[in-house]
């Protein structure tokens, strides 16, 4: 292969990870990476203040394009170290690996370099998988550790065929495989100058490992309209178990809630995934062909939701139990089952499954906290309800539905003024992130019963901005009738008819009387 001037600098950060570093660096070498030469890219392995530094000889032995730096620091966040390395890089593009425990697939550099050449403002990224059948936060409770991982890696010939890493990873838990919606990547490449212009890795993220900084950087990049987002198909990074602060702790011991709080303090809002449509580039290795059971899960979920909408709750629970057999750690599995039991009126079972949902994935969604708190509130277990809602606020402080649940709790406690106060606090949150139709109608009725008509209207209109549902328009029409605004009531009823309200005769009768 002809000699070229390097265009890419790979920056990999390590901390107390000699075992993991040896594998990661090997997967960055030309002995492993396919169809690339050492002249096309550089690798800088940076030891960010490890107690026992990496062996520099080992690092440089990976190839002539490898270099090593030891950064003496007491900082537990790698942001400053990463930013310094990005500024010092002398290539037009940089690849950032914030957690050096990530091994790579063998075509990742070839397909990255190709994408960098094919787009004017490229941001090339891929899946961040984990070694082990499920997410390591779950596996650690089942005895998964470095020794178990070493044994597992010995069962595949990953050095000669790195695509076999897919077969010992949690790839199957990604519902849409390479087409999944992502909120971060642990191996991405971008123009060096563009990353610097965006502010790099915000050094206000001082938590261990940088907290949510990798998600923050990803969000900043994908929200730039002039940047070409390129998702690599057939390639991935694979996180090794190393006792890290986020992925290798049991969820009950994880610092995720701390990271959410830090993000809120820095950005002034909850972290929310950015939705965007990327370009796709790459290939489809044979080793991935049999690893899409999530497509079956997706079909099951569609069926289950349809059954719930038809009020066939027992049949829906049977489907969810089949899903549990395929992937018992699927986010919201137990939350969905808890909601069904709630609809059935079985609050004991509902509480059991909602508690399980929170235990397995405390930071995934605020919804289980809302529903569990409501169960406790209705049973007059007020102390428990307050505790659940307080924990829910740690997950999402901008959830209008959670604030509504807190307002109802205050009302049940006889604290009417406090209930109204919390209800008012909820309105700007709903305006920012509107709730769905069913919840909006419930909230609107609550305000209507308190003769707070303006607030009731505001809630319904906010929900209609999110999704135009005929039933919401009907409730809006009834509210306008109550407020003696017949013109607006007629308009709302007509909109409901246009959207195909199931009882048109009822609305036509209402319209004839107005």
């Amino acid at each position: 292969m002809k000699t070229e001037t390097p265009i890419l600098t790979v920056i990999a950060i390590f901390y107390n990870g000699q075992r993991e570093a040896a594998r990661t660096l090997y997967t960055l070498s030309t002995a492993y990476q396919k169809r690339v030469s050492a002249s096309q890219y550089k690798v800088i392995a940076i030891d960010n203040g490890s107690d026992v530094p990496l062996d520099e000889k080992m690092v440089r032995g990976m190839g002539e394009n490898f270099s090593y730096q030891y950064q003496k620091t007491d900082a537990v966040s790698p942001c400053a170290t990463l930013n310094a390395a990005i500024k010092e890089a002398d290539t037009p593009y940089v690849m950032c690996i914030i957690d050096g425990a990530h091994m790579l697939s063998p075509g990742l550099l070839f397909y990255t370099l190709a994408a960098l050449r094919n787009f004017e403002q490229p941001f090339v990224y891929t899946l961040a998988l984990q070694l082990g059948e499920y997410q390591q936060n779950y596996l650690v409770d089942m005895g998964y550790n470095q020794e178990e991982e070493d044994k597992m890696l010995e069962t595949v010939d990953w050095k000669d065929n790195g695509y076999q890493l897919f077969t010992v990873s949690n790839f199957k838990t990604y519902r849409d495989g390479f087409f999944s919606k992502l909120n971060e990547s642990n191996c991405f490449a971008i123009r060096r100058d563009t990353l610097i212009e965006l502010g790099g890795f915000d050094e206000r993220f001082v938590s261990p490992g940088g907290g949510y900084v990798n998600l923050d950087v990803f969000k900043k990049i994908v929200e730039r309209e002039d940047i070409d987002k390129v998702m690599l198909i057939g390639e991935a990074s694979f996180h090794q178990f190393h006792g890290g602060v986020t992925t290798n702790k049991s969820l009950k011991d994880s610092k995720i809630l701390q990271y959410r709080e830090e993000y809120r303090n820095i950005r002034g809002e909850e972290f929310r995934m950015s939705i965007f449509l990327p370009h796709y580039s790459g290939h489809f290795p044979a080793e991935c062909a049999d690893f899409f059971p999530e497509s079956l899960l997706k079909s099951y979920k569609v069926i289950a939701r349809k059954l719930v909408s038809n009020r066939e709750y027992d049949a829906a629970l049977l489907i969810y139990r089949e899903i549990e057999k395929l992937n018992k750690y699927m986010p919201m599995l137990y939350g969905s089952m808890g909601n069904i039991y709630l609809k059935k009126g079985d609050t004991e079972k509902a509480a059991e499954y909602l508690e399980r949902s929170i235990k397995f994935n405390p930071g995934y969604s605020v919804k289980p906290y809302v529903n569990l708190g409501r169960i406790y509130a209705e049973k007059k277990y007020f102390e428990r309800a307050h505790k659940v809602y307080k924990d829910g606020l740690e997950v999402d402080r901008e959830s209008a539905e959670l604030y509504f649940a807190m307002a109802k709790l205050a009302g049940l406690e006889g604290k009417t003024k406090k209930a109204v106060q919390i209800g008012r606090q909820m309105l700007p949150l709903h305006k920012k992130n509107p709730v769905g139709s069913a919840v909006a109608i419930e909230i609107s009725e609550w305000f209507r019963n308190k003769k707070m008509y303006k607030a009731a209207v505001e809630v319904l209109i906010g929900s209609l901005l999110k999704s135009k549902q005929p039933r919401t328009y009907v409730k809006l029409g009834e509210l306008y009738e109550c407020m003696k605004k017949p013109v607006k009531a007629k308009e709302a009823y007509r909109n409901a008819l246009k959207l195909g309200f199931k009882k048109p005769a009822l609305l036509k009768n209402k319209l004839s009387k107005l």
Side-chain angles (χ1 to χ4, degrees), residues 35-51:
R35 303 164 71 185
V36 292
S37 68
S39 62
Q40 293 175 290
Y41 67 101
K42 300 178 179 182
V43 178
I44 303 175
I46 304 179
D47 194 322
N48 196 47
S50 293
D51 300 323

Side-chain angles (χ1 to χ4, degrees), residues 131-132 136 139-146 148-149 152 241:
L131 293 176
Q136 290 171 354
L139 292 178
V140 68
D141 288 330
M142 300 163 61
Y144 189 79
N145 53 32
Q146 291 174 319
E148 290 298 314
E149 185 171 88
M152 182 184 68
F241 188 94

